[in-house]
Amino acid sequence: MKSEDNFFERVYQVVREIPEGKVSTYGAIAKAIGAPRSARMVGYAMNAAHNDDTIPAHRVVNRVGMLTGKFHFDGTNLMQQLLENEGIEVKNNVVQNFKELLWIPEIRDI
């Protein structure tokens, strides 16, 4: 097993906990798994997971609420549509009311 496989699994474990109607960030997830400087690797994990229905990758956005991962979803607006289906308003590729919708995972021992 490659070390990134274990990292990706730890990321997926956290992402699966993001409540419907909430979003989290690459950095918050990285911090939660004990790798605070690995937000970009969390992004790579999300890119690898966008076709896995058990991982709500559409709920992971950048630190200002922008849908930076949208190009990895099938269709041009699928990430936005999935968020809007959960009641999250998106304008110009940015989650509206971002601070109210932000879910910060607890730091864990993984």
Side-chain angles (χ1 to χ4, degrees), residues 53-64:
D53 292 341
T54 70
I55 302 167
H58 63 283
R59 295 181 188 149
V60 183
V61 297
N62 80 358
R63 63 187 170 85
V64 296

Side-chain angles (χ1 to χ4, degrees), residues 65-80:
M66 186 172 283
L67 279 55
T68 51
K70 74 180 221 159
F71 302 108
H72 297 283
F73 287 81
D74 295 331
T76 50
N77 288 316
L78 181 58
M79 183 178 186
Q80 180 172 334

